[in-house]
Amino acid sequence: MKTNIAEKNMPASFDLHKTAAEHGMKPDEVALMVKTLGRDPSLCELGIFSAMWSEHCSYKSSKVWLRKLPTTGDIVICGPGENAGVIDIGLGPNGEKLAAIFKIESHNHPSFIEPYQGAATGVGGILRDVFTMGARPIANLNALRYGDIKHPKTKQLLAGTVAGIGGYGNCMGIPTVAGEVNFHPSYNGNCLVNAMTVGVANQDKIFYAKAAGVGNPVCYVGSKTGRDGIKGASMSSAEFNDNAESQRPTVQVGDPFTEKLLLEACLELMATDAIVAIQDMGAAGLTSSSVEMASKGGLGMELILDDVPQRETGMNAYEMMISESQERMLMILKPGREAQAEAVFKKWDLDCVVIGKLTDTGRLVVKHKGNVEADIVVEPLVENAPQYNRPWEPTPKQAEVNAADYPLQGTLGAALETLLACPDLCSRRWIYEQYDCQVGADTIATGGDAGVVRLHGSKRGLAMTVDCTPRYCFADPVEGGKQAVAETWRNLTAVGAKPLAITDNMNFGNPEKPRIMGQFAGCVEGIAAACNALTYPVISGNVSLYNETKGEGILPTPVIGGVGMVEDVSKIARINAAREGDVVLLVGETKGHIGQSLYLRELHGKEIGTAPTVDLNAEKKNGDFVRALINAETVPCCHDVADGGLLVALADICLASNVGIALEQAENSAAYWFGEDQGRYIITIRAHQYNEQAIFDAAEKAGVEIEFLGFMSGQDIKLDDKPIASLATLRKAHEGTLPALMES
Amino acid sequence: MQASILVFPGSNCDRDVAIAFEKASGKKPAMIWHGDSTLPKSDIIVVPGGFSYGDYLRTGAMAAHSPIMGEVIAAAKKGVRVLGICNGFQILCETQLLPGVLLRNKTLKFICKTTTLKVENNDSIFTKAYKKGENGNYFADAETLKQLDGNGQVALRYTENPNGSANDIAGIFNKDRTILGLMPHPERANDSVLGSTDGAGMFKSIVENL
């Protein structure tokens, strides 16, 4: 075999710097690669280095900041660094120790280029991250952001991405139980598609990516390899310009049917003891899976690419190593278990082929057609990956807004109707009815503050939610980061769940701009502060940078996915459980903060002011107070006060429960009804269970602000006995926006 | 009462319907792999929902030619009861055990919403009152629709048609009323904590009458 790899495998006219630049590598990174190798790379090696050192795989701009996040805790079994994070969720129905395994991941760039496939493969990728660890996925969630609702591309992106998410998740038979959607012009050129999967595994059957056992077979399973998704990791680590369309070939094509077979086959083989380690082939496909497994095990790996199942003819080593064809996994088997694995995968009509073995050389050696195409020492490939402590500047403070300068310009009812119909608050029915939310017959709640899914065969369940308020993060990254975490904590609390841990999806613009890096740094600081205060660790996550088009970045969007425990799913609080006669109370302090509120944006056309501050101490006290009331079955209906403020949250309850409300407040200022102060919940209590003295005493003892608002009553929202809006009018406005857009 | 539930590659409601039968009968159903060519002795054969063969070619079309379906057709012809739900309904139409076809929803989109059903004919082992629903739009020509009505073969109708199905049909029988195909998922309306037990009547009535 040839040993002079570069000479053999590079075209004669090869210009290292030019080719490396086409792979998104900077000149200093090329120099570092040559130094690491001790020679020039072959084309295959260049492909491997550029993929492993891409922002997407190496987290080179974000790593120094991500270290600041709290990632440990009593319940954490495995924090960031594996395919997904793992927490202890106690005992299952048969006394077995259970773990929840979850992660969120972005598929932003591909979804903008090819909405259906981009979003579908986003769901497919995150599902694989979870089931590769031995978990059966029990739910999907998604966080979506699109441009201005009037922008010509928005409708197509929304239709395509929603169809793609539904198409993949529905076919897999995994219910989609919660999500969030925002519209803002900053996403006109970069929509965001963040997909989260929650799975459940037996703690004794969790699989990791750490290779072990020199000589053990390396086994390729799943779909065949094609040329799709080549350079995907590099593509998603760069800004868009005008030619985003021309990047369509870099988007992978998904096949949920094959993934469903892969899921069942993997879980079937995992039930035996044949597997040593397993890792899905996500971004950078065979490259990242082989390098990461070898690196985690401190071993070498030899791959014979001739044996890789191929969908196309004439593929070379470079193409096979960086293809991002979907629905594939790499496994290390125990010696002699090849036939057992093959039998399981054959039953499910999937390929299962030994393509190499583990070695003690510490090198990744890739052979094809009798040639050595790559020969790289693994440790420096991983350890020498560039890391940048990029320059950053703090985000300047915004000026406070004086609420008195922005009074109501019409009636309170008209303002409420406008807000309920606005793109960020209107009904998401057009979207969620395309998702199967019930398959599995364990979905306890959807459409409220958090989705709740029962642990199969048990009365316990997991609550889950995804949240972020990007306009707050833009105005004040630290408060915005805190708020994103606090809102998930609040949403889990609002159904009665005990919040356990989070996963984060950091969507930002170009990190080479100090202003953007400052947003990142600020959001991380806020997230860390909230996680620490709420004992709510980060167990997994994903970073998506370069969300910019023609130099315009998105609003900073650190999406948080939160998971909590429900001890008895029959006792959760629901947004639609308010009944005629219920007493309605507000927990938490109302100051009337209208800076960055939707009221200012939708009624006055202003996106100004400071973000509301999150008092983490009050947050915890208020949440613990509300959760205890729900768990004691005192509060059947609860909803947190978020976007749009108090009156919008009340209207949400009225519309969901189909009963009006008679408010007995003297207040009629916009700041009171539409201000977005944090840490607040609306709760209702059945009239016959209501003990005013007891609940106000308990609140005082807990140091919690509580306020009487009124009674559920009739079919109108009334203030001081005067109707301000009928539910019928509000419902029409709330339900009309998305159908009008999508069916026009 | 012994139920056998078919499992195709891509089935995803097989577990849910197995639980519903076990809850109603106290007996675990047999799970039958699509590649098998023999069926155990069964009182009822269930073709569950999902995306058999990824809905490739046409929904249900490939599953209809699976090895096990020959056995199912032979058993059905001898009077063994057959229940097809959602994709299972589509498969039963493709095998012509039931008349008509399932088209894509009028909106061309998957639909997941709770829907109220009206039981049109409760003179069968399958039917009592229930609700809930999903995807797929029943279609048959005018003559067939007339026959279905005349023979009492319409089992269930939507009270608010979500998908544009002909004559609001949600489920139909064969002429002998030994086979039922329906689009909505009764197995998802079988537990009060999930919001409805209106589907439980179907499983109860099957167990009590077989």
Side-chain angles (χ1 to χ4, degrees):
Chain A
M1 271 188 190
K2 289 271 183 188
T3 49
N4 189 344
I5 298 168
E7 194 176 294
K8 167 71 186 163
N9 296 314
M10 270 297 186
S13 58
F14 170 65
D15 177 333
L16 176 60
H17 285 274
K18 186 161 166 276
T19 313
E22 284 164 11
H23 285 72
M25 293 183 85
K26 301 276 152 66
D28 52 339
E29 295 174 353
V30 177
L32 186 59
M33 167 175 65
V34 171
K35 191 175 159 221
T36 302
L37 270 175
R39 57 176 166 76
D40 281 357
S42 69
L43 183 61
C44 181
E45 289 169 333
L46 176 61
I48 292 170
F49 271 92
S50 68
M52 289 308 299
W53 289 5
S54 69
E55 191 67 57
H56 193 91
C57 293
S58 72
Y59 295 85
K60 60 191 168 190
S61 301
S62 56
K63 226 174 193 169
V64 293
W65 291 102
L66 296 176
R67 288 198 191 104
K68 297 179 188 291
L69 296 172
T71 58
T72 54
D74 295 344
I75 56 161
V76 179
I77 296 173
C78 173
E82 272 286 345
N83 284 293
V86 185
I87 55 169
D88 181 353
I89 54 167
L91 299 181
N94 304 312
E96 71 278 32
K97 285 186 181 166
L98 293 182
I101 300 186
F102 61 91
K103 189 182 174 188
I104 191 166
E105 194 160 81
S106 63
H107 232 211
N108 303 334
H109 289 72
S111 298
F112 186 77
I113 298 169
E114 212 302 294
Y116 186 98
Q117 291 297 343
T121 53
V123 175
I126 194 64
L127 280 164
R128 276 195 307 285
D129 276 338
V130 167
F131 73 75
T132 194
M133 297 196 72
R136 180 171 283 280
I138 64 164
N140 284 329
L141 301 89
N142 55 74
L144 309 174
R145 267 133 190 126
Y146 305 98
D148 188 327
I149 200 159
K150 295 191 192 86
H151 188 274
K153 263 189 94 80
T154 296
K155 182 175 162 180
Q156 174 222 346
L157 289 170
L158 175 62
T161 49
V162 168
I165 290 167
Y168 210 101
N170 297 348
C171 183
M172 286 291 289
I174 313 299
T176 299
V177 302
E180 59 158 1
V181 187
N182 283 156
F183 297 88
H184 189 272
S186 79
Y187 305 105
N188 282 350
N190 288 81
C191 64
L192 303 185
V193 173
N194 296 176
M196 172 170 165
T197 295
V198 180
V200 174
N202 189 319
Q203 285 185 22
D204 299 331
K205 281 282 179 190
I206 296 170
F207 290 82
Y208 296 99
K210 185 180 171 182
V214 171
N216 278 351
V218 177
C219 195
Y220 170 116
V221 298
S223 283
K224 296 184 196 308
T225 296
R227 289 190 171 93
D228 49 331
I230 283 179
K231 289 197 216 173
S234 316
M235 173 273 291
S236 54
S237 306
E239 279 183 44
F240 283 143
N241 46 33
D242 276 329
N243 65 356
E245 308 281 321
S246 71
Q247 304 227 29
R248 194 163 285 136
T250 59
V251 177
Q252 315 87 324
V253 178
D255 176 5
F257 172 60
T258 301
E259 178 123 320
K260 168 72 174 163
L261 304 183
L262 188 62
L263 164 69
E264 299 300 336
C266 284
L267 291 180
E268 193 171 320
L269 188 62
M270 284 165 168
T272 72
D273 63 346
I275 301 173
V276 175
I278 179 165
Q279 159 113 11
D280 89 295
M281 293 192 219
L286 197 47
T287 290
S288 65
S289 54
S290 59
V291 171
E292 284 172 22
M293 288 176 95
S295 158
K296 283 180 175 148
L299 293 172
M301 191 183 287
E302 181 178 289
L303 297 177
I304 312 289
L305 297 186
D306 307 73
D307 297 330
V308 168
Q310 292 159 53
R311 191 193 298 151
E312 300 179 50
T313 53
M315 291 186 74
N316 61 29
Y318 162 83
E319 290 169 325
M320 277 188 268
M321 286 306 289
I322 63 170
S323 158
E324 293 190 5
S325 292
Q326 298 290 291
E327 294 94 24
R328 304 178 299 160
M329 300 268 197
L330 202 63
M331 302 187 304
I332 310 296
L333 293 175
K334 285 186 182 164
R337 299 302 188 89
E338 296 89 332
Q340 186 182 7
E342 272 166 33
V344 169
F345 281 86
K346 192 175 172 203
K347 174 185 159 190
W348 293 99
D349 292 325
L350 294 171
D351 281 312
C352 172
V353 183
V354 174
I355 62 164
K357 61 174 192 267
L358 293 178
T359 65
D360 60 1
T361 63
R363 310 177 81 87
L364 175 70
V365 178
V366 177
K367 296 179 181 173
H368 188 221
K369 294 186 173 166
N371 293 321
V372 175
E373 298 280 349
D375 184 352
I376 306 171
V377 182
V378 173
E379 198 206 327
L381 172 61
V382 176
E383 299 301 323
N384 290 2
Q387 267 197 36
Y388 298 118
N389 194 348
R390 296 195 187 275
W392 63 284
E393 57 194 40
T395 304
K397 290 279 175 217
Q398 302 282 321
E400 285 286 352
V401 172
N402 181 2
D405 295 341
Y406 298 95
L408 273 177
Q409 288 174 328
T411 65
L412 201 54
L416 176 61
E417 192 179 330
T418 301
L419 281 169
L420 285 176
C422 84
D424 275 356
L425 292 175
C426 69
S427 166
R428 272 69 176 114
R429 184 183 303 277
W430 187 90
I431 295 170
Y432 66 70
E433 281 190 351
Q434 296 185 53
Y435 302 146
D436 188 341
C437 63
Q438 306 164 326
V439 61
D442 282 319
T443 304
I444 303 297
T446 60
D449 289 318
V452 179
V453 180
R454 179 170 58 184
L455 297 173
H456 195 64
S458 164
K459 68 169 190 172
R460 304 169 77 228
L462 293 177
M464 50 198 85
T465 178
V466 281
D467 294 288
C468 179
T469 313
R471 61 182 190 280
Y472 297 169
C473 297
F474 182 77
D476 186 336
V478 178
E479 289 304 321
K482 276 190 212 168
Q483 195 273 344
V485 174
E487 192 174 350
T488 65
W489 193 86
R490 213 177 290 151
N491 281 331
L492 299 175
T493 297
V495 298
K498 179 175 184 251
L500 296 176
I502 65 166
T503 178
D504 61 356
N505 204 145
M506 310 292 284
N507 307 276
F508 289 80
N510 183 345
E512 294 160 44
K513 296 179 181 167
R515 187 175 56 83
I516 302 288
M517 230 26 242
Q519 293 174 342
F520 192 94
C523 285
V524 168
E525 185 187 331
I527 292 169
C531 289
N532 283 323
L534 301 170
T535 322
Y536 193 36
V538 182
I539 63 154
S540 58
N542 171 245
V543 177
S544 172
L545 301 174
Y546 298 96
N547 290 291
E548 297 213 357
T549 297
K550 289 189 265 179
E552 284 296 311
I554 58 165
L555 294 181
T557 313
V559 174
I560 304 296
V563 171
M565 173 55 68
V566 175
E567 288 299 336
D568 182 344
V569 294
S570 70
K571 293 183 182 173
I572 63 167
R574 295 173 185 268
I575 191 173
N576 63 359
R579 297 291 174 263
E580 179 86 26
D582 281 5
V583 176
V584 184
L585 303 173
L586 174 66
V587 174
E589 190 186 3
T590 302
K591 294 178 184 160
H593 184 100
I594 68 161
Q596 296 300 334
S597 66
L598 287 180
Y599 166 77
L600 266 193
R601 189 175 92 188
E602 299 297 325
L603 277 300
H604 291 277
K606 301 276 187 201
E607 296 183 46
I608 54 170
T610 56
T613 49
V614 180
D615 176 343
L616 291 165
N617 189 28
E619 187 76 50
K620 182 148 188 349
K621 279 195 285 193
N622 297 353
D624 290 346
F625 180 73
V626 167
R627 190 181 316 104
L629 289 173
I630 295 169
N631 293 344
E633 296 185 85
T634 306
V635 167
C637 172
C638 178
H639 182 31
D640 77 313
V641 180
D643 275 355
L646 179 55
L647 197 56
V648 165
L650 287 165
D652 288 341
I653 289 179
C654 292
L655 291 174
S657 303
N658 196 25
V659 54
I661 188 167
L663 297 163
E664 299 188 1
Q665 299 300 95
E667 271 288 350
N668 61 5
S669 73
Y672 178 79
W673 291 111
F674 301 123
E676 297 185 3
D677 306 290
Q678 298 295 299
R680 296 184 296 165
Y681 302 80
I682 297 163
I683 57 175
T684 84
I685 301 178
R686 305 286 185 240
H688 69 272
Q689 283 190 307
Y690 183 56
N691 180 338
E692 183 179 334
Q693 185 75 44
I695 198 155
F696 277 76
D697 284 354
E700 195 181 345
K701 202 173 152 204
V704 166
E705 296 256 352
I706 190 164
E707 191 177 342
F708 171 75
L709 292 176
F711 297 95
M712 301 305 293
S713 160
Q715 282 289 314
D716 294 294
I717 295 185
K718 288 184 183 170
L719 182 57
D720 214 9
D721 239 9
K722 289 184 274 295
I724 59 169
S726 76
L727 291 196
T729 308
L730 296 178
R731 192 181 305 281
K732 196 168 163 222
H734 186 57
E735 293 289 347
T737 308
L738 283 186
L741 170 73
M742 301 313 292
E743 283 147 32
S744 63
Chain B
M1 203 282 309
Q2 179 62 52
S4 289
I5 297 173
L6 306 188
V7 183
F8 295 97
S11 293
N12 65 26
C13 303
D14 43 332
R15 183 188 78 174
D16 305 350
V17 78
I19 289 165
F21 270 97
E22 190 177 348
K23 197 170 164 183
S25 69
K27 202 166 168 195
K28 266 197 194 313
M31 306 305 281
I32 310 299
W33 184 238
H34 72 111
D36 290 354
S37 48
T38 54
L39 263 175
K41 189 175 167 342
S42 316
D43 299 303
I44 185 166
I45 300 162
V46 182
V47 193
F51 292 73
S52 59
Y53 295 93
D55 274 358
Y56 290 136
L57 188 59
R58 190 171 64 242
T59 50
M62 288 173 67
H65 295 282
S66 218
I68 198 65
M69 284 313 291
E71 292 296 301
V72 173
I73 292 165
K77 285 188 174 153
K78 285 186 208 146
V80 174
R81 306 303 203 270
V82 181
L83 171 65
I85 301 170
C86 191
N87 188 232
F89 182 17
Q90 295 164 331
I91 295 168
L92 294 182
C93 288
E94 284 288 335
T95 57
Q96 299 184 351
L97 284 172
L98 289 172
V101 293
L102 279 301
L103 303 179
R104 292 196 64 186
N105 289 332
K106 196 175 69 182
T107 57
L108 300 180
K109 295 197 302 269
F110 182 96
I111 305 167
C112 176
K113 67 196 282 188
T114 299
T115 165
T116 307
L117 299 174
K118 186 173 159 212
V119 177
E120 285 288 329
N121 186 337
N122 62 2
D123 182 17
S124 85
I125 63 132
F126 299 101
T127 37
K128 298 245 175 175
Y130 50 83
K131 52 182 185 180
K132 252 185 194 296
E134 232 163 83
N135 201 27
N137 152 9
Y138 183 76
F139 179 81
D141 61 75
E143 187 55 33
T144 309
L145 289 175
K146 216 166 112 188
Q147 282 177 14
L148 288 173
D149 271 329
N151 296 339
Q153 283 178 253
V154 176
L156 304 159
R157 276 191 225 277
Y158 297 112
T159 57
E160 279 179 58
N161 192 335
N163 57 23
S165 68
N167 287 2
D168 301 330
I169 286 173
I172 57 166
F173 298 119
N174 64 340
K175 268 189 192 158
D176 301 333
R177 281 173 243 154
T178 56
I179 303 174
L180 170 65
L182 73 163
M183 282 319 295
H185 288 274
E187 76 275 19
R188 300 184 186 185
N190 192 36
D191 190 340
S192 58
V193 77
L194 301 181
S196 170
T197 53
D198 291 357
M202 177 178 287
F203 302 104
K204 183 165 172 269
S205 108
I206 292 169
V207 170
E208 283 174 358
N209 292 288
L210 277 181

